[in-house]
Short mmCIF file of all heavy atoms in Angstrom, two decimals:
data_model
loop_
_atom_site.label_atom_id
_atom_site.label_comp_id
_atom_site.label_asym_id
_atom_site.label_seq_id
_atom_site.Cartn_x
_atom_site.Cartn_y
_atom_site.Cartn_z
N MET B 244 87.58 72.67 100.45
CA MET B 244 88.59 73.59 100.90
C MET B 244 88.06 74.52 101.97
O MET B 244 88.76 74.89 102.87
CB MET B 244 89.12 74.37 99.72
CG MET B 244 90.24 75.25 100.16
SD MET B 244 91.15 75.84 98.89
CE MET B 244 92.55 75.53 98.51
N VAL B 245 86.81 74.89 101.87
CA VAL B 245 86.21 75.76 102.87
C VAL B 245 86.14 75.04 104.21
O VAL B 245 86.36 75.64 105.26
CB VAL B 245 84.81 76.22 102.41
CG1 VAL B 245 84.12 77.00 103.49
CG2 VAL B 245 84.92 77.03 101.14
N ASP B 246 85.84 73.73 104.18
CA ASP B 246 85.78 72.96 105.41
C ASP B 246 87.14 72.92 106.09
O ASP B 246 87.22 72.93 107.32
CB ASP B 246 85.30 71.54 105.14
CG ASP B 246 83.85 71.52 104.67
OD1 ASP B 246 83.10 72.44 105.05
OD2 ASP B 246 83.48 70.59 103.94
N HIS B 247 88.21 72.87 105.30
CA HIS B 247 89.56 72.85 105.86
C HIS B 247 89.85 74.15 106.60
O HIS B 247 90.39 74.15 107.70
CB HIS B 247 90.59 72.61 104.76
CG HIS B 247 91.99 72.64 105.23
ND1 HIS B 247 92.50 71.68 106.06
CD2 HIS B 247 92.99 73.53 105.01
CE1 HIS B 247 93.76 71.97 106.32
NE2 HIS B 247 94.08 73.09 105.68
N ARG B 248 89.47 75.28 105.99
CA ARG B 248 89.67 76.57 106.64
C ARG B 248 88.83 76.68 107.91
O ARG B 248 89.28 77.20 108.92
CB ARG B 248 89.30 77.71 105.70
CG ARG B 248 90.25 77.91 104.58
CD ARG B 248 89.86 79.10 103.77
NE ARG B 248 90.44 79.01 102.45
CZ ARG B 248 90.03 79.68 101.41
NH1 ARG B 248 89.00 80.51 101.53
NH2 ARG B 248 90.60 79.56 100.25
N LYS B 249 87.61 76.18 107.83
CA LYS B 249 86.72 76.24 108.98
C LYS B 249 87.28 75.43 110.14
O LYS B 249 87.29 75.89 111.28
CB LYS B 249 85.35 75.71 108.58
CG LYS B 249 84.24 76.06 109.50
CD LYS B 249 82.94 75.53 108.91
CE LYS B 249 81.75 76.26 109.43
NZ LYS B 249 80.51 75.75 108.87
N SER B 250 87.78 74.22 109.85
CA SER B 250 88.34 73.40 110.92
C SER B 250 89.62 74.02 111.46
O SER B 250 89.90 73.93 112.66
CB SER B 250 88.62 71.98 110.42
OG SER B 250 89.63 71.98 109.44
N PHE B 251 90.41 74.69 110.60
CA PHE B 251 91.62 75.36 111.06
C PHE B 251 91.28 76.48 112.03
O PHE B 251 91.90 76.62 113.09
CB PHE B 251 92.41 75.92 109.86
CG PHE B 251 93.66 76.65 110.24
CD1 PHE B 251 94.80 75.95 110.58
CD2 PHE B 251 93.69 78.03 110.26
CE1 PHE B 251 95.95 76.61 110.93
CE2 PHE B 251 94.83 78.70 110.60
CZ PHE B 251 95.97 77.99 110.95
N ILE B 252 90.25 77.25 111.70
CA ILE B 252 89.84 78.35 112.57
C ILE B 252 89.30 77.82 113.89
O ILE B 252 89.60 78.35 114.96
CB ILE B 252 88.80 79.24 111.86
CG1 ILE B 252 89.47 79.97 110.69
CG2 ILE B 252 88.18 80.25 112.81
CD1 ILE B 252 88.51 80.70 109.79
N ILE B 253 88.53 76.75 113.84
CA ILE B 253 87.99 76.15 115.06
C ILE B 253 89.12 75.62 115.94
O ILE B 253 89.14 75.84 117.16
CB ILE B 253 86.98 75.04 114.73
CG1 ILE B 253 85.72 75.65 114.12
CG2 ILE B 253 86.63 74.22 115.97
CD1 ILE B 253 84.75 74.64 113.55
N GLN B 254 90.10 74.95 115.34
CA GLN B 254 91.24 74.46 116.10
C GLN B 254 92.05 75.60 116.68
O GLN B 254 92.55 75.53 117.80
CB GLN B 254 92.13 73.58 115.22
CG GLN B 254 91.52 72.25 114.87
CD GLN B 254 92.39 71.47 113.90
OE1 GLN B 254 93.44 71.94 113.47
NE2 GLN B 254 91.94 70.28 113.55
N LEU B 255 92.19 76.67 115.91
CA LEU B 255 92.93 77.83 116.39
C LEU B 255 92.23 78.47 117.57
O LEU B 255 92.86 78.85 118.56
CB LEU B 255 93.10 78.84 115.26
CG LEU B 255 93.93 80.08 115.53
CD1 LEU B 255 95.36 79.69 115.89
CD2 LEU B 255 93.93 81.00 114.34
N MET B 256 90.90 78.53 117.51
CA MET B 256 90.14 79.11 118.60
C MET B 256 90.21 78.23 119.84
O MET B 256 90.17 78.72 120.97
CB MET B 256 88.69 79.33 118.18
CG MET B 256 88.54 80.45 117.17
SD MET B 256 86.90 80.58 116.43
CE MET B 256 85.85 80.69 117.84
N ASN B 257 90.34 76.94 119.66
CA ASN B 257 90.42 76.02 120.79
C ASN B 257 91.86 75.79 121.25
O ASN B 257 92.12 74.94 122.09
CB ASN B 257 89.79 74.67 120.42
CG ASN B 257 88.30 74.78 120.23
OD1 ASN B 257 87.66 75.64 120.81
ND2 ASN B 257 87.75 73.92 119.40
N ASN B 258 92.82 76.53 120.68
CA ASN B 258 94.23 76.45 121.02
C ASN B 258 94.80 75.05 120.83
O ASN B 258 95.64 74.59 121.60
CB ASN B 258 94.49 76.92 122.46
CG ASN B 258 94.29 78.40 122.61
OD1 ASN B 258 94.51 79.14 121.67
ND2 ASN B 258 93.88 78.82 123.78
N LYS B 259 94.33 74.34 119.81
CA LYS B 259 94.85 73.01 119.52
C LYS B 259 95.94 73.03 118.46
O LYS B 259 96.50 72.01 118.13
CB LYS B 259 93.72 72.08 119.08
CG LYS B 259 92.73 71.77 120.17
CD LYS B 259 91.70 70.80 119.71
CE LYS B 259 90.71 70.50 120.81
NZ LYS B 259 89.65 69.59 120.35
N ILE B 260 96.22 74.21 117.94
CA ILE B 260 97.26 74.33 116.93
C ILE B 260 98.51 74.90 117.59
O ILE B 260 98.44 75.85 118.36
CB ILE B 260 96.80 75.23 115.77
CG1 ILE B 260 95.62 74.57 115.07
CG2 ILE B 260 97.93 75.51 114.80
CD1 ILE B 260 95.07 75.36 113.93
N GLU B 261 99.63 74.30 117.26
CA GLU B 261 100.90 74.74 117.82
C GLU B 261 101.23 76.14 117.32
O GLU B 261 100.88 76.53 116.22
CB GLU B 261 102.01 73.78 117.38
CG GLU B 261 101.79 72.36 117.80
CD GLU B 261 102.28 72.09 119.20
OE1 GLU B 261 103.19 72.79 119.65
OE2 GLU B 261 101.73 71.19 119.83
N SER B 262 101.93 76.89 118.14
CA SER B 262 102.33 78.24 117.73
C SER B 262 103.31 78.18 116.57
O SER B 262 103.37 79.11 115.76
CB SER B 262 102.93 79.00 118.90
OG SER B 262 104.10 78.35 119.36
N SER B 263 104.08 77.11 116.44
CA SER B 263 105.00 76.99 115.32
C SER B 263 104.23 76.86 114.00
O SER B 263 104.68 77.37 112.97
CB SER B 263 105.93 75.79 115.50
OG SER B 263 105.18 74.59 115.58
N ASP B 264 103.07 76.19 114.02
CA ASP B 264 102.24 76.10 112.81
C ASP B 264 101.71 77.46 112.41
O ASP B 264 101.66 77.79 111.21
CB ASP B 264 101.08 75.14 113.04
CG ASP B 264 101.51 73.69 113.17
OD1 ASP B 264 102.63 73.37 112.72
OD2 ASP B 264 100.74 72.90 113.74
N VAL B 265 101.32 78.25 113.39
CA VAL B 265 100.81 79.58 113.10
C VAL B 265 101.93 80.46 112.56
O VAL B 265 101.73 81.20 111.59
CB VAL B 265 100.17 80.21 114.36
CG1 VAL B 265 99.77 81.65 114.12
CG2 VAL B 265 98.97 79.39 114.81
N MET B 266 103.12 80.37 113.15
CA MET B 266 104.26 81.15 112.68
C MET B 266 104.63 80.76 111.25
O MET B 266 104.96 81.62 110.42
CB MET B 266 105.46 80.99 113.60
CG MET B 266 105.38 81.81 114.86
SD MET B 266 105.18 83.57 114.55
CE MET B 266 106.70 83.95 113.74
N PHE B 267 104.59 79.47 110.95
CA PHE B 267 104.87 79.01 109.59
C PHE B 267 103.87 79.59 108.61
O PHE B 267 104.24 80.03 107.53
CB PHE B 267 104.87 77.48 109.53
CG PHE B 267 105.10 76.95 108.14
CD1 PHE B 267 106.35 77.01 107.56
CD2 PHE B 267 104.05 76.41 107.42
CE1 PHE B 267 106.56 76.53 106.28
CE2 PHE B 267 104.25 75.94 106.14
CZ PHE B 267 105.51 75.99 105.56
N SER B 268 102.61 79.63 108.98
CA SER B 268 101.58 80.20 108.11
C SER B 268 101.80 81.69 107.89
O SER B 268 101.64 82.20 106.78
CB SER B 268 100.20 79.97 108.71
OG SER B 268 99.91 78.61 108.79
N ILE B 269 102.18 82.39 108.94
CA ILE B 269 102.44 83.83 108.83
C ILE B 269 103.61 84.09 107.89
O ILE B 269 103.54 84.96 107.01
CB ILE B 269 102.69 84.44 110.22
CG1 ILE B 269 101.40 84.43 111.04
CG2 ILE B 269 103.25 85.85 110.11
CD1 ILE B 269 101.58 84.78 112.49
N ILE B 270 104.69 83.33 108.06
CA ILE B 270 105.87 83.50 107.21
C ILE B 270 105.54 83.16 105.77
O ILE B 270 105.97 83.84 104.84
CB ILE B 270 107.04 82.65 107.74
CG1 ILE B 270 107.52 83.21 109.07
CG2 ILE B 270 108.19 82.59 106.74
CD1 ILE B 270 108.50 82.33 109.80
N GLN B 271 104.74 82.11 105.58
CA GLN B 271 104.36 81.71 104.23
C GLN B 271 103.56 82.83 103.54
O GLN B 271 103.80 83.16 102.38
CB GLN B 271 103.53 80.44 104.30
CG GLN B 271 103.19 79.84 102.97
CD GLN B 271 102.42 78.53 103.14
OE1 GLN B 271 101.91 78.23 104.21
NE2 GLN B 271 102.35 77.77 102.08
N TRP B 272 102.61 83.44 104.23
CA TRP B 272 101.83 84.53 103.65
C TRP B 272 102.70 85.75 103.38
O TRP B 272 102.53 86.46 102.39
CB TRP B 272 100.66 84.92 104.55
CG TRP B 272 99.45 84.11 104.25
CD1 TRP B 272 98.93 83.09 104.99
CD2 TRP B 272 98.61 84.22 103.09
NE1 TRP B 272 97.83 82.58 104.36
CE2 TRP B 272 97.60 83.25 103.20
CE3 TRP B 272 98.62 85.04 101.98
CZ2 TRP B 272 96.61 83.09 102.24
CZ3 TRP B 272 97.64 84.89 101.02
CH2 TRP B 272 96.64 83.91 101.16
N PHE B 273 103.66 86.03 104.29
CA PHE B 273 104.55 87.17 104.11
C PHE B 273 105.37 87.00 102.83
O PHE B 273 105.51 87.94 102.04
CB PHE B 273 105.47 87.32 105.32
CG PHE B 273 106.47 88.43 105.17
CD1 PHE B 273 106.07 89.74 105.27
CD2 PHE B 273 107.79 88.14 104.91
CE1 PHE B 273 106.99 90.77 105.11
CE2 PHE B 273 108.72 89.15 104.75
CZ PHE B 273 108.31 90.47 104.86
N ILE B 274 105.92 85.80 102.61
CA ILE B 274 106.71 85.53 101.41
C ILE B 274 105.84 85.66 100.16
O ILE B 274 106.25 86.21 99.14
CB ILE B 274 107.38 84.16 101.51
CG1 ILE B 274 108.46 84.19 102.59
CG2 ILE B 274 107.97 83.74 100.18
CD1 ILE B 274 109.04 82.84 102.92
N PHE B 275 104.61 85.16 100.23
CA PHE B 275 103.68 85.26 99.10
C PHE B 275 103.39 86.72 98.75
O PHE B 275 103.44 87.12 97.57
CB PHE B 275 102.39 84.52 99.44
CG PHE B 275 101.30 84.67 98.42
CD1 PHE B 275 101.37 83.99 97.22
CD2 PHE B 275 100.22 85.49 98.66
CE1 PHE B 275 100.37 84.12 96.27
CE2 PHE B 275 99.22 85.64 97.73
CZ PHE B 275 99.30 84.95 96.53
N LEU B 276 103.10 87.54 99.75
CA LEU B 276 102.80 88.94 99.50
C LEU B 276 104.04 89.70 99.00
O LEU B 276 103.93 90.57 98.13
CB LEU B 276 102.26 89.60 100.77
CG LEU B 276 100.88 89.12 101.21
CD1 LEU B 276 100.51 89.70 102.57
CD2 LEU B 276 99.84 89.48 100.18
N LEU B 277 105.20 89.36 99.54
CA LEU B 277 106.43 90.00 99.10
C LEU B 277 106.74 89.65 97.65
O LEU B 277 107.13 90.52 96.86
CB LEU B 277 107.59 89.58 100.00
CG LEU B 277 108.92 90.25 99.77
CD1 LEU B 277 108.81 91.74 100.07
CD2 LEU B 277 109.99 89.61 100.63
N ALA B 278 106.54 88.40 97.28
CA ALA B 278 106.78 87.99 95.89
C ALA B 278 105.84 88.71 94.94
O ALA B 278 106.24 89.11 93.84
CB ALA B 278 106.62 86.48 95.77
N ASN B 279 104.59 88.88 95.34
CA ASN B 279 103.64 89.61 94.49
C ASN B 279 104.00 91.08 94.39
O ASN B 279 103.81 91.69 93.34
CB ASN B 279 102.22 89.46 95.02
CG ASN B 279 101.63 88.13 94.64
OD1 ASN B 279 101.91 87.60 93.59
ND2 ASN B 279 100.79 87.60 95.51
N ALA B 280 104.51 91.66 95.48
CA ALA B 280 104.88 93.08 95.46
C ALA B 280 106.06 93.32 94.53
O ALA B 280 106.23 94.42 94.00
CB ALA B 280 105.22 93.55 96.86
N VAL B 281 106.87 92.30 94.30
CA VAL B 281 108.00 92.44 93.39
C VAL B 281 107.58 92.12 91.96
O VAL B 281 107.94 92.84 91.02
CB VAL B 281 109.18 91.51 93.83
CG1 VAL B 281 110.25 91.47 92.78
CG2 VAL B 281 109.73 91.97 95.16
N ALA B 282 106.82 91.07 91.77
CA ALA B 282 106.51 90.58 90.43
C ALA B 282 105.49 91.44 89.69
O ALA B 282 105.65 91.71 88.50
CB ALA B 282 106.01 89.15 90.50
N ILE B 283 104.45 91.88 90.37
CA ILE B 283 103.37 92.60 89.69
C ILE B 283 103.82 93.92 89.08
O ILE B 283 103.48 94.20 87.92
CB ILE B 283 102.15 92.75 90.63
CG1 ILE B 283 101.53 91.38 90.86
CG2 ILE B 283 101.14 93.73 90.07
CD1 ILE B 283 100.42 91.35 91.85
N PRO B 284 104.60 94.77 89.77
CA PRO B 284 105.05 95.99 89.10
C PRO B 284 105.93 95.72 87.88
O PRO B 284 105.86 96.45 86.89
CB PRO B 284 105.84 96.73 90.19
CG PRO B 284 105.29 96.24 91.45
CD PRO B 284 104.93 94.80 91.20
N ILE B 285 106.72 94.65 87.93
CA ILE B 285 107.56 94.32 86.78
C ILE B 285 106.69 93.90 85.59
O ILE B 285 106.92 94.33 84.45
CB ILE B 285 108.57 93.21 87.15
CG1 ILE B 285 109.56 93.75 88.17
CG2 ILE B 285 109.29 92.69 85.92
CD1 ILE B 285 110.46 92.69 88.76
N VAL B 286 105.69 93.10 85.84
CA VAL B 286 104.80 92.65 84.77
C VAL B 286 104.00 93.82 84.20
O VAL B 286 103.90 93.99 82.97
CB VAL B 286 103.85 91.54 85.28
CG1 VAL B 286 102.78 91.22 84.28
CG2 VAL B 286 104.64 90.30 85.63
N ILE B 287 103.46 94.65 85.07
CA ILE B 287 102.69 95.81 84.61
C ILE B 287 103.59 96.75 83.82
O ILE B 287 103.20 97.29 82.78
CB ILE B 287 102.03 96.53 85.80
CG1 ILE B 287 100.90 95.65 86.36
CG2 ILE B 287 101.49 97.89 85.39
CD1 ILE B 287 100.27 96.19 87.61
N GLY B 288 104.82 96.97 84.31
CA GLY B 288 105.75 97.84 83.60
C GLY B 288 106.10 97.33 82.23
O GLY B 288 106.21 98.10 81.27
N SER B 289 106.26 96.02 82.10
CA SER B 289 106.60 95.47 80.78
C SER B 289 105.39 95.50 79.84
O SER B 289 105.55 95.70 78.64
CB SER B 289 107.14 94.05 80.91
OG SER B 289 106.14 93.18 81.38
N ILE B 290 104.19 95.33 80.38
CA ILE B 290 102.99 95.38 79.54
C ILE B 290 102.81 96.79 78.96
O ILE B 290 102.51 96.95 77.78
CB ILE B 290 101.74 94.96 80.34
CG1 ILE B 290 101.78 93.46 80.60
CG2 ILE B 290 100.47 95.34 79.61
CD1 ILE B 290 100.69 92.97 81.53
N PHE B 291 103.02 97.80 79.80
CA PHE B 291 102.84 99.18 79.35
C PHE B 291 104.12 99.80 78.81
O PHE B 291 104.18 101.02 78.60
CB PHE B 291 102.27 100.04 80.49
CG PHE B 291 100.84 99.70 80.83
CD1 PHE B 291 100.53 99.07 82.02
CD2 PHE B 291 99.82 99.99 79.94
CE1 PHE B 291 99.22 98.75 82.34
CE2 PHE B 291 98.51 99.68 80.25
CZ PHE B 291 98.21 99.05 81.44
N GLN B 292 105.15 99.00 78.61
CA GLN B 292 106.44 99.41 78.04
C GLN B 292 107.02 100.60 78.78
O GLN B 292 107.46 101.59 78.18
CB GLN B 292 106.28 99.70 76.56
CG GLN B 292 105.84 98.48 75.78
CD GLN B 292 105.55 98.77 74.32
OE1 GLN B 292 105.54 99.92 73.90
NE2 GLN B 292 105.33 97.72 73.56
N MET B 293 107.05 100.52 80.12
CA MET B 293 107.64 101.57 80.94
C MET B 293 109.16 101.40 80.96
O MET B 293 109.66 100.29 80.78
CB MET B 293 107.11 101.48 82.37
CG MET B 293 105.65 101.70 82.54
SD MET B 293 105.18 101.40 84.24
CE MET B 293 103.72 102.36 84.37
N ASP B 294 109.86 102.50 81.20
CA ASP B 294 111.30 102.38 81.35
C ASP B 294 111.65 101.87 82.75
O ASP B 294 110.77 101.73 83.62
CB ASP B 294 111.99 103.72 81.05
CG ASP B 294 111.56 104.82 82.02
OD1 ASP B 294 110.54 104.65 82.69
OD2 ASP B 294 112.27 105.84 82.09
N THR B 295 112.91 101.59 82.98
CA THR B 295 113.35 100.99 84.23
C THR B 295 113.04 101.88 85.43
O THR B 295 112.62 101.39 86.48
CB THR B 295 114.86 100.69 84.18
OG1 THR B 295 115.13 99.91 83.00
CG2 THR B 295 115.31 99.92 85.39
N MET B 296 113.23 103.18 85.29
CA MET B 296 112.99 104.10 86.40
C MET B 296 111.51 104.12 86.78
O MET B 296 111.17 104.13 87.96
CB MET B 296 113.45 105.52 86.02
CG MET B 296 113.32 106.51 87.15
SD MET B 296 114.27 106.06 88.62
CE MET B 296 115.91 106.46 88.07
N ALA B 297 110.63 104.09 85.80
CA ALA B 297 109.19 104.09 86.09
C ALA B 297 108.78 102.79 86.80
O ALA B 297 107.95 102.81 87.71
CB ALA B 297 108.39 104.27 84.81
N ILE B 298 109.38 101.68 86.39
CA ILE B 298 109.08 100.41 87.05
C ILE B 298 109.58 100.43 88.49
O ILE B 298 108.90 99.96 89.41
CB ILE B 298 109.69 99.24 86.26
CG1 ILE B 298 108.99 99.10 84.91
CG2 ILE B 298 109.56 97.93 87.05
CD1 ILE B 298 109.63 98.07 83.99
N MET B 299 110.77 101.01 88.70
CA MET B 299 111.29 101.09 90.07
C MET B 299 110.41 101.97 90.94
O MET B 299 110.16 101.64 92.11
CB MET B 299 112.73 101.62 90.05
CG MET B 299 113.72 100.61 89.54
SD MET B 299 115.47 101.04 89.64
CE MET B 299 115.55 102.77 89.81
N LEU B 300 109.92 103.06 90.40
CA LEU B 300 109.02 103.93 91.16
C LEU B 300 107.70 103.22 91.47
O LEU B 300 107.15 103.37 92.56
CB LEU B 300 108.77 105.23 90.41
CG LEU B 300 109.96 106.19 90.33
CD1 LEU B 300 109.64 107.36 89.41
CD2 LEU B 300 110.34 106.67 91.71
N LEU B 301 107.19 102.47 90.50
CA LEU B 301 105.97 101.70 90.73
C LEU B 301 106.18 100.66 91.82
O LEU B 301 105.32 100.47 92.69
CB LEU B 301 105.52 101.04 89.42
CG LEU B 301 104.24 100.23 89.46
CD1 LEU B 301 103.05 101.11 89.85
CD2 LEU B 301 103.99 99.57 88.11
N MET B 302 107.33 100.00 91.80
CA MET B 302 107.64 99.01 92.83
C MET B 302 107.77 99.67 94.19
O MET B 302 107.30 99.14 95.21
CB MET B 302 108.93 98.27 92.46
CG MET B 302 109.16 97.03 93.28
SD MET B 302 110.63 96.14 92.77
CE MET B 302 110.20 95.69 91.11
N GLN B 303 108.38 100.84 94.23
CA GLN B 303 108.52 101.57 95.49
C GLN B 303 107.16 101.95 96.05
O GLN B 303 106.90 101.80 97.25
CB GLN B 303 109.38 102.81 95.26
CG GLN B 303 109.70 103.57 96.52
CD GLN B 303 110.58 104.77 96.23
OE1 GLN B 303 110.50 105.37 95.15
NE2 GLN B 303 111.42 105.12 97.18
N ARG B 304 106.27 102.44 95.19
CA ARG B 304 104.92 102.78 95.64
C ARG B 304 104.15 101.55 96.10
O ARG B 304 103.35 101.63 97.04
CB ARG B 304 104.17 103.49 94.53
CG ARG B 304 104.59 104.94 94.40
CD ARG B 304 103.81 105.64 93.33
NE ARG B 304 104.79 105.84 92.25
CZ ARG B 304 104.51 105.84 90.98
NH1 ARG B 304 103.31 105.67 90.56
NH2 ARG B 304 105.46 106.02 90.08
N THR B 305 104.41 100.40 95.47
CA THR B 305 103.75 99.17 95.90
C THR B 305 104.19 98.78 97.30
O THR B 305 103.38 98.42 98.15
CB THR B 305 104.07 98.03 94.92
OG1 THR B 305 103.64 98.42 93.62
CG2 THR B 305 103.36 96.75 95.32
N PHE B 306 105.50 98.87 97.57
CA PHE B 306 106.01 98.54 98.90
C PHE B 306 105.48 99.52 99.94
O PHE B 306 105.13 99.12 101.05
CB PHE B 306 107.54 98.55 98.91
CG PHE B 306 108.15 97.29 98.41
CD1 PHE B 306 108.99 97.30 97.31
CD2 PHE B 306 107.89 96.07 99.01
CE1 PHE B 306 109.56 96.15 96.82
CE2 PHE B 306 108.44 94.90 98.55
CZ PHE B 306 109.28 94.94 97.45
N LEU B 307 105.38 100.79 99.58
CA LEU B 307 104.87 101.78 100.53
C LEU B 307 103.40 101.55 100.84
O LEU B 307 102.95 101.74 101.97
CB LEU B 307 105.07 103.20 100.00
CG LEU B 307 106.52 103.70 100.02
CD1 LEU B 307 106.60 105.06 99.33
CD2 LEU B 307 107.03 103.79 101.43
N SER B 308 102.65 101.12 99.84
CA SER B 308 101.22 100.87 100.09
C SER B 308 101.00 99.60 100.93
O SER B 308 100.01 99.50 101.64
CB SER B 308 100.46 100.77 98.78
OG SER B 308 100.87 99.63 98.07
N LEU B 309 101.94 98.66 100.85
CA LEU B 309 101.81 97.44 101.67
C LEU B 309 102.24 97.67 103.12
O LEU B 309 101.82 96.94 104.01
CB LEU B 309 102.63 96.31 101.07
CG LEU B 309 102.11 95.71 99.78
CD1 LEU B 309 103.08 94.67 99.26
CD2 LEU B 309 100.74 95.10 99.99
N ALA B 310 103.08 98.66 103.32
CA ALA B 310 103.60 98.92 104.68
C ALA B 310 102.62 99.56 105.54
O ALA B 310 101.68 99.65 105.90
CB ALA B 310 104.82 99.81 104.61
#
C-alpha cells in the first residue's frame, strides 16, 4: 500500500494524473471527514449518556474545529 501512495505522489509530481482524478480524491476525503464529524460526536454522546442538546453542541464544536 505504501508503494501505491509513493507511485501516486510521483505521478502527481510528474503531472501524469488527470485533474479529474485529483478532484475525485479531494471530494472523497471531504465526504469521509464530514461523515466522521457527524458520526463521532453522536457515538461519544451516546457512550457518555449526554442529552440531545449536549450532543448538538459537541457536533457544532467539531464542525468549528474542522473549519
